[in-house]
Amino acid sequence: MTPHDAPSPQAPTRSTPVLIDGFGRAVTYLRVSVTDRCDLRCVYCMAEHMTFLPKAQVLTLEELDRIASAFIGQGVRKLRLTGGEPLVRKGFMGLVESLSRHLRSGALDELTLTTNGTRLSEFASDLARFGVRRINVSMDTLKPDLFRKLTRGGDLAKVIAGIDAALAAGIAVKINAVALKDDNAAELADLIAWAHARGCDATLIEAMPLGEIEVDRTDQFLSLKDVRRDLESFWTLTDIDHQTGGPARYVRIAETGGRLGLITPLSHNFCEACNRVRLTCTGTLHTCLGREDASDLRAVIRAGADDEALIDAVRLAVDAKPKGHDFQIARASAPAVARHMSTTGG
Ligand code: SAM
Ligand code: SF4
């Protein structure tokens, strides 16, 4: 063997699969909505009487696993399961258990979910057993009556019991709250302090114009710039460099010692660093939350595509990821995107 034949320790033996879009951004984060159904009807998310999808249109658990695994094979390192409410999907824990093989193999860094928490008490210990280390729980208020109103019937006590069960199982919890002008604006500091006292991070989200609902979103919209100014009148907020490739910017609150995320899709453009794509429960891939772009991966797999053809379809869709979103909350205007957050997955 000549010195030229000797394998160099630096030389890659095979190319590492990476999904790069047409603007050079690496896509390493996939969110998968496993169902459009939910046991709650949050006022900013769903209409009171939703028509849910026929079962035949929804990907089976095996199809969800196959598509998610194709993305993981192409370099996705973080997978978030969401919905609708993921924990109401029958057989959901089987999917989590199956996907956890990618954690064990080292292909995936993180398997996580976003949940409304109503069924967490039941599932927290299994989630921990299958390698889920962190979850997001959505909770917009600490007032049981307001919670019932905002979710159209939800029981706050169940959500709090679920959060406690997750923490007891060793799962880190981030509390997500949508900032709503008339409903929880005055309570946001209490909610943040409550989360931080339990060792949870908190994140506030601006209401986004996704899907037709009964109310005018301009009535609900509360700018997080205003919320931040209000919090700074009694707390010390310091920007911290915690990047997730998403729309959240983070601050540390000196008085609570906790971290607060601010998700401001409307007043802050976050598209340059976007590393994520979203798969709906019907197998449609959306590469931008704020645009109507879509690729039908269900059609690809139901037409009998082999793994290679599925990977080609995934790469083609990611390549066409738009440069940026197109949100705008203008009075009486149609939503920027017709699909609901419960379809796309938050
Ligand atoms: N059911 C789960 C939950 O509520 O956490 C997961 C799905 S839910 C669609 C994901 C997140 O989207 C939640 O935190 C929810 O508050 C948020 N969300 C729903 N509709 C929204 C909207 N129009 N604007 C901003 N956030 C929204
Ligand atoms: Fe259900 Fe989550 Fe939408 Fe609320 S935000 S209605 S819990 S999917």
CSV table of all heavy atoms in Angstrom, one decimal, residues 6 15 56 80 84 94 96 127-128 182 234 279-280 307 322 328 341:
chain,number,residue,atom,x,y,z
A,6,ALA,N,-3.4,5.0,1.8
A,6,ALA,CA,-3.8,4.9,3.3
A,6,ALA,C,-5.0,5.8,3.5
A,6,ALA,O,-5.0,6.9,3.1
A,6,ALA,CB,-2.6,5.3,4.1
A,15,SER,N,-20.8,10.1,1.9
A,15,SER,CA,-21.3,11.4,2.1
A,15,SER,C,-22.4,11.4,3.2
A,15,SER,O,-23.3,10.5,3.2
A,15,SER,CB,-21.8,12.0,0.8
A,15,SER,OG,-22.9,11.3,0.4
A,56,ALA,N,-59.6,7.5,6.2
A,56,ALA,CA,-58.8,7.0,5.1
A,56,ALA,C,-57.8,8.0,4.6
A,56,ALA,O,-56.8,7.7,4.0
A,56,ALA,CB,-59.8,6.6,3.9
A,80,ARG,N,-40.5,16.4,16.3
A,80,ARG,CA,-41.5,16.8,17.2
A,80,ARG,C,-42.8,16.3,16.7
A,80,ARG,O,-43.3,16.5,15.6
A,80,ARG,CB,-41.6,18.3,17.3
A,80,ARG,CG,-42.7,18.8,18.3
A,80,ARG,CD,-42.8,20.3,18.5
A,80,ARG,NE,-41.5,20.8,19.1
A,80,ARG,CZ,-41.3,20.7,20.4
A,80,ARG,NH1,-42.1,20.2,21.2
A,80,ARG,NH2,-40.1,21.2,20.9
A,84,GLY,N,-53.4,18.9,16.0
A,84,GLY,CA,-54.3,18.2,16.8
A,84,GLY,C,-53.6,17.9,18.2
A,84,GLY,O,-52.6,18.4,18.5
A,94,GLY,N,-47.4,3.5,20.6
A,94,GLY,CA,-46.7,2.5,19.7
A,94,GLY,C,-45.8,3.2,18.7
A,94,GLY,O,-44.7,2.8,18.4
A,96,VAL,N,-44.4,6.2,19.2
A,96,VAL,CA,-43.3,6.8,19.9
A,96,VAL,C,-42.3,5.7,20.2
A,96,VAL,O,-41.1,5.9,20.0
A,96,VAL,CB,-43.8,7.5,21.2
A,96,VAL,CG1,-42.6,8.0,22.1
A,96,VAL,CG2,-44.8,8.6,21.0
A,127,LEU,N,-43.7,7.9,28.0
A,127,LEU,CA,-42.9,8.8,27.2
A,127,LEU,C,-41.5,8.8,27.7
A,127,LEU,O,-40.5,8.8,26.9
A,127,LEU,CB,-43.5,10.2,27.3
A,127,LEU,CG,-44.8,10.4,26.5
A,127,LEU,CD1,-45.4,11.8,26.9
A,127,LEU,CD2,-44.7,10.3,25.0
A,128,ALA,N,-41.3,8.9,29.0
A,128,ALA,CA,-39.9,8.9,29.5
A,128,ALA,C,-39.2,7.6,29.2
A,128,ALA,O,-38.0,7.6,28.8
A,128,ALA,CB,-40.0,9.1,31.1
A,182,ASP,N,-57.4,40.4,25.3
A,182,ASP,CA,-58.5,40.6,26.4
A,182,ASP,C,-58.5,39.5,27.4
A,182,ASP,O,-59.1,39.6,28.5
A,182,ASP,CB,-59.9,40.6,25.7
A,182,ASP,CG,-60.0,41.9,24.8
A,182,ASP,OD1,-59.3,42.9,25.2
A,182,ASP,OD2,-60.6,41.8,23.8
A,234,PHE,N,-41.4,45.7,35.6
A,234,PHE,CA,-41.1,45.2,37.0
A,234,PHE,C,-40.1,44.1,37.0
A,234,PHE,O,-39.6,43.6,38.1
A,234,PHE,CB,-42.4,44.7,37.7
A,234,PHE,CG,-43.3,43.9,36.8
A,234,PHE,CD1,-43.2,42.5,36.7
A,234,PHE,CD2,-44.3,44.5,36.0
A,234,PHE,CE1,-44.0,41.7,35.9
A,234,PHE,CE2,-45.1,43.7,35.2
A,234,PHE,CZ,-45.0,42.3,35.1
A,279,LEU,N,-44.9,18.1,8.5
A,279,LEU,CA,-45.7,17.0,7.8
A,279,LEU,C,-47.1,17.0,8.5
A,279,LEU,O,-47.2,16.8,9.7
A,279,LEU,CB,-45.0,15.7,8.0
A,279,LEU,CG,-45.7,14.5,7.2
A,279,LEU,CD1,-45.4,14.6,5.7
A,279,LEU,CD2,-45.2,13.2,7.7
A,280,THR,N,-48.2,17.1,7.7
A,280,THR,CA,-49.5,17.0,8.2
A,280,THR,C,-49.9,15.5,8.4
A,280,THR,O,-49.2,14.6,7.8
A,280,THR,CB,-50.6,17.6,7.3
A,280,THR,OG1,-50.7,16.8,6.2
A,280,THR,CG2,-50.2,19.0,6.9
A,307,ASP,N,-38.2,3.1,-1.1
A,307,ASP,CA,-37.6,4.1,-0.2
A,307,ASP,C,-36.8,5.2,-1.0
A,307,ASP,O,-36.8,6.3,-0.7
A,307,ASP,CB,-36.6,3.4,0.8
A,307,ASP,CG,-37.5,2.6,1.8
A,307,ASP,OD1,-38.7,2.9,1.9
A,307,ASP,OD2,-36.9,1.8,2.5
A,322,PRO,N,-39.8,27.8,0.5
A,322,PRO,CA,-39.8,29.2,0.2
A,322,PRO,C,-38.8,30.0,1.1
A,322,PRO,O,-38.4,29.6,2.2
A,322,PRO,CB,-41.2,29.7,0.5
A,322,PRO,CG,-42.0,28.5,0.6
A,322,PRO,CD,-41.0,27.4,1.0
A,328,GLN,N,-49.7,38.4,7.8
A,328,GLN,CA,-50.2,39.8,7.9
A,328,GLN,C,-51.5,39.7,8.7
A,328,GLN,O,-52.4,39.0,8.2
A,328,GLN,CB,-50.4,40.4,6.5
A,328,GLN,CG,-50.6,41.8,6.5
A,328,GLN,CD,-50.8,42.3,5.1
A,328,GLN,OE1,-51.1,41.4,4.2
A,328,GLN,NE2,-50.7,43.5,4.8
A,341,MET,N,-53.9,25.6,12.4
A,341,MET,CA,-52.6,25.2,13.1
A,341,MET,C,-52.8,23.7,13.5
A,341,MET,O,-51.8,22.9,13.5
A,341,MET,CB,-52.4,26.0,14.4
A,341,MET,CG,-51.1,25.7,15.1
A,341,MET,SD,-49.7,26.3,14.2
A,341,MET,CE,-49.1,27.5,15.3
